[in-house]
Amino acid sequence: MEQTDQTDDAGLDGTFPRWEGPAIGLLDLDAFFASVEVLDHPEWRGKPVIVGGSADKRGVVSTASYEARKYGVHSAMPSYQARRLCPNAIWTQGHYARYRQVSDQVMAIIDDETPLVEQVSIDEAFFDVTPGRYSHESPVQICRRMQRRVEDLGVTCSIGLGVNKTVAKIASERQKPRGLTVVLPGMEASFLAPLPVRAMSGIGQATERRLADMRIRTLGDLARADVKQMRRVFGVHGPAMVTRAAGLERSRVRPAAEPEEPKSVSNERTFERDLTQRDEILAAIDHIAEMCGTRLRRKGLRGYQVTLKLKFDATHARTAQRQLDERTDDEHVFGRVARDLLDTLWKPGTPVRLVGVGVSGFGARPERQQALFSLDDGPTQNGGSSGAPATKPLAGQRDMRELSKAKDMVRQRFGNDAISYGRDLRFRDRTSDTAPMNKPDF
């Protein structure tokens, strides 16, 4: 049985369904950034509000209020398109510190209900309310109380509740805003089966197309797929997708004290005007690799796999990857590899809209480079063959890393503008003004 609030009256008469087994929820704040802006500007209530970068600087929409969404505006939409769809919208570039403040208040509410809370972004968190673990209340009753307490802050949330994270995530998106979708234990398969495969996180356009070629279009189709064939096509991801689509995933909520190591650290920038010359694209790679190196050192991470991403227009992007012999956090090492990957993605004269550099592979380096597969949208190619020699640090590279560490210390003490390379100044006023507000490491 699936119960969906706003339309049902489950629990309103004081009775709640009996729950046996795990109970995992996902709380998702409704149009969060826009909701906080309306909270702070009551005169904006009932009007279309868009948080994002300007259309004149190739900005994108971070969040749109539900009034703006009625016009077709949505997150990640180019700002010029949003402006055309909703010319009377109220625009703001956003106030991240304020959003973090409200987010912390919401997370404190969840933490007050259960110690098993895993925040996955500024506006989302999984939580475990399995009966008998920390409370004997019905999980549905706890979720309703969470919603009321969040609404008392001046914002609203939607919650999905099920036996695992996959079900909770999908359920949280079924009714927004102010929705509570409950999938009782044993009803996972019937709830998931009719939904399109894209409803499950981790399946993007490229994977959806490959599944469609296999005549797999719904999660029910995916749950019935041949596991051996799925492994042949998708590697280790294949069987995992089948398990999740069948509602059989076994999930664990990881509290803050047990953070999951990020799979990758990356930075990217969209440019106000296309880059067309090789020297400026290389300078952009160096500029972004430096930002990525700073973040790696701050997190205490070193990786052996380097990714270069180029975006040529609003919808077409390509990536290339190459492995190093040793793990590193030094942009003078992995940045040089990213530069070397440029020719695998770019032809002279092709305009480049976005440049990204990422580092992954934070565990032990495998003996041989395995075939690469990405669930992300867009084509991915390996920058070298599996037998290609990996890159080792050059002599004197240690001194360059020490220079980077010294630069980090100066910027931490005196601000990011205290010390800059010439290339940094070159791009200071050329990037989009969209703030990277909610981007997790991938």
Side-chain angles (χ1 to χ4, degrees):
M1 178 177 71
E2 175 196 348
Q3 300 170 340
T4 305
D5 187 14
Q6 307 144 339
T7 58
D8 75 79
D9 58 359
L12 296 181
D13 59 355
T15 62
F16 294 90
R18 180 177 177 82
W19 196 286
E20 295 182 358
I24 293 177
L26 178 70
L27 185 150
D28 184 4
L29 290 163
D30 300 322
F32 180 48
F33 299 161
S35 295
V36 175
E37 293 295 338
V38 171
L39 176 65
D40 293 344
H41 303 85
E43 68 275 15
W44 293 357
R45 190 170 303 279
K47 300 178 181 179
V49 176
I50 298 175
V51 180
S54 67
D56 297 329
K57 301 196 79 172
R58 284 187 167 171
V60 298
V61 174
S62 295
T63 307
S65 69
Y66 287 95
E67 291 81 3
R69 295 183 190 191
K70 293 177 182 178
Y71 292 86
V73 179
H74 58 76
S75 299
M77 172 180 283
S79 294
Y80 77 86
Q81 186 177 352
R83 185 172 63 181
R84 186 174 66 245
L85 290 172
C86 190
N88 298 321
I90 298 169
W91 284 79
T92 174
Q93 289 185 15
H95 303 88
Y96 187 75
R98 174 61 173 148
Y99 306 151
R100 175 59 64 188
Q101 180 185 45
V102 178
S103 173
D104 290 344
Q105 292 175 314
V106 173
M107 298 306 153
I109 289 173
I110 308 174
D111 190 61
D112 188 47
E113 297 287 353
T114 172
L116 295 178
V117 182
E118 180 182 342
Q119 185 173 358
V120 292
S121 68
I122 194 171
D123 59 354
E124 283 184 298
F126 286 107
F127 55 89
D128 187 326
V129 286
T130 301
R133 179 167 290 178
Y134 293 102
S135 172
H136 293 287
E137 286 184 281
S138 164
V140 179
Q141 184 177 9
I142 295 173
C143 290
R144 288 188 181 279
R145 185 168 58 244
M146 281 186 191
Q147 285 189 305
R148 290 194 298 268
R149 295 179 66 184
V150 169
E151 192 155 2
D152 287 342
L153 296 176
V155 294
T156 64
C157 67
S158 296
I159 296 178
L161 181 65
V163 299
N164 57 49
K165 287 181 174 179
T166 293
V167 172
K169 171 65 174 175
I170 294 175
S172 72
E173 297 171 349
R174 304 314 295 170
Q175 279 277 1
K176 293 180 73 66
R178 296 182 176 89
L180 172 58
T181 301
V182 179
V183 182
L184 294 175
M187 303 304 296
E188 300 81 33
S190 60
F191 167 70
L192 296 171
L195 302 177
V197 292
R198 282 291 295 277
M200 194 166 75
S201 61
I203 297 183
Q205 291 181 357
T207 304
E208 182 183 32
R209 286 193 295 268
R210 296 178 76 178
L211 290 171
D213 291 341
M214 300 167 64
R215 297 184 179 180
I216 297 174
R217 293 179 172 81
T218 68
L219 292 178
D221 296 336
L222 183 54
R224 294 186 294 270
D226 182 82
V227 174
K228 291 183 179 179
Q229 182 185 18
M230 290 292 292
R231 185 182 295 276
R232 285 195 301 270
V233 176
F234 297 105
V236 295
H237 299 285
M241 285 193 289
V242 174
T243 299
R244 293 176 65 204
L248 300 176
E249 174 192 61
R250 302 185 69 177
S251 304
R252 178 177 173 226
V253 174
R254 294 174 175 267
E258 305 174 44
E260 185 176 3
E261 185 178 83
K263 296 179 176 62
S264 168
V265 171
S266 66
N267 281 79
E268 59 185 40
R269 288 292 182 271
T270 299
F271 297 95
E272 181 182 0
R273 296 185 303 277
D274 287 341
L275 309 180
T276 57
Q277 301 300 314
R278 182 183 183 82
D279 66 329
E280 61 181 358
I281 298 174
L282 291 173
I285 293 173
D286 293 339
H287 172 64
I288 296 163
E290 181 195 354
M291 293 189 285
C292 185
T294 298
R295 293 181 64 207
L296 285 167
R297 291 185 291 273
R298 187 171 66 241
K299 294 173 178 287
L301 295 172
R302 299 186 183 195
Y304 60 81
Q305 184 156 278
V306 183
T307 300
L308 175 67
K309 175 182 177 180
L310 299 181
K311 198 168 186 179
F312 305 105
D313 55 40
T315 59
H316 295 90
R318 298 183 67 198
T319 62
Q321 297 175 321
R322 185 173 295 169
Q323 290 189 355
L324 307 172
D325 279 340
E326 299 176 357
R327 293 182 297 126
T328 185
D329 60 5
D330 185 357
E331 63 267 25
H332 300 97
V333 177
F334 68 79
R336 179 164 51 86
V337 175
R339 289 170 62 102
D340 291 343
L341 290 172
L342 177 62
D343 289 333
T344 68
L345 301 177
W346 179 77
K347 294 181 180 180
T350 304
V352 174
R353 177 192 185 96
L354 174 148
V355 176
V357 177
V359 174
S360 58
F362 301 127
R365 186 183 185 280
E367 291 293 325
R368 297 178 60 188
Q369 183 172 341
Q370 304 298 314
L372 296 172
F373 171 73
S374 171
L375 289 180
D376 294 334
D377 293 346
T380 299
Q381 72 179 64
N382 182 13
S385 66
S386 60
T391 303
K392 294 183 178 180
L394 297 174
Q397 208 69 65
R398 182 178 300 174
D399 294 337
M400 298 302 292
R401 183 176 183 274
E402 292 302 315
L403 176 63
S404 293
K405 289 172 63 178
K407 169 180 58 64
D408 293 345
M409 293 176 61
V410 171
R411 288 180 171 175
Q412 185 174 3
R413 183 172 181 181
F414 299 105
N416 289 334
D417 294 334
I419 182 171
S420 299
Y421 292 105
R423 62 171 179 262
D424 300 326
L425 300 176
R426 180 177 187 177
F427 294 110
R428 177 168 293 174
D429 298 321
R430 295 190 58 186
T431 57
S432 167
D433 57 359
T434 303
M437 294 181 177
N438 200 26
K439 179 181 179 298
D441 296 321
F442 58 85

